[in-house]
Amino acid sequence: MVAATKLKMTDISRQKRFETDLSDALTPRHTVGQAVDLYLDRMRIPGDGLRWSAFNRGVKLDSKATLDELDEEQSEWTVIPEVSAGAKSALH
């Protein structure tokens, strides 16, 4: 497995994009969940109390996995909120 050195995160509409090296704001020891939190902060997306997840090629990434556990093919994510019926939408 070749660890990712760069992350690209986007929302589902691909309008809010964030790219970073793993030596900049994030390190290989950060978790997927911490990377998602950084994305929300940098893109000024309010969390609104919802849980947000990262997906790569349609597969949900483990929020507790460290970035050094991901391989190069898992370096591009779509970040979306997890919502259920009747939940307040985070996408205004």
Side-chain angles (χ1 to χ4, degrees), residues 30-60:
H30 280 94
T31 65
V32 169
Q34 290 169 321
V36 168
D37 289 343
L38 178 67
Y39 170 79
L40 295 174
D41 184 57
R42 294 283 174 95
M43 298 294 103
R44 297 186 177 134
I45 299 172
D48 287 339
L50 297 173
R51 182 183 309 175
W52 290 71
S53 297
F55 289 80
N56 174 262
R57 299 180 185 182
V59 177
K60 182 180 174 183

Side-chain angles (χ1 to χ4, degrees), residues 6-69:
K6 184 176 283 212
L7 286 179
K8 297 177 185 177
M9 294 179 265
T10 184
D11 66 329
I12 198 157
S13 67
R14 301 201 183 278
Q15 292 182 357
K16 296 183 183 256
R17 296 183 191 128
F18 176 67
E19 186 173 324
T20 186
D21 291 319
L22 292 189
S23 60
D24 189 22
L26 295 170
T27 68
R29 298 303 308 154
H30 280 94
T31 65
V32 169
Q34 290 169 321
V36 168
D37 289 343
L38 178 67
Y39 170 79
L40 295 174
D41 184 57
R42 294 283 174 95
M43 298 294 103
R44 297 186 177 134
I45 299 172
D48 287 339
L50 297 173
R51 182 183 309 175
W52 290 71
S53 297
F55 289 80
N56 174 262
R57 299 180 185 182
V59 177
K60 182 180 174 183
L61 299 172
D62 180 359
S63 66
K64 294 181 182 177
T66 58
L67 300 178
D68 63 357
E69 295 177 58

Side-chain angles (χ1 to χ4, degrees), residues 48-51 81-91:
D48 287 339
L50 297 173
R51 182 183 309 175
E82 292 183 25
V83 295
S84 60
K88 178 181 172 187
S89 174
L91 304 175

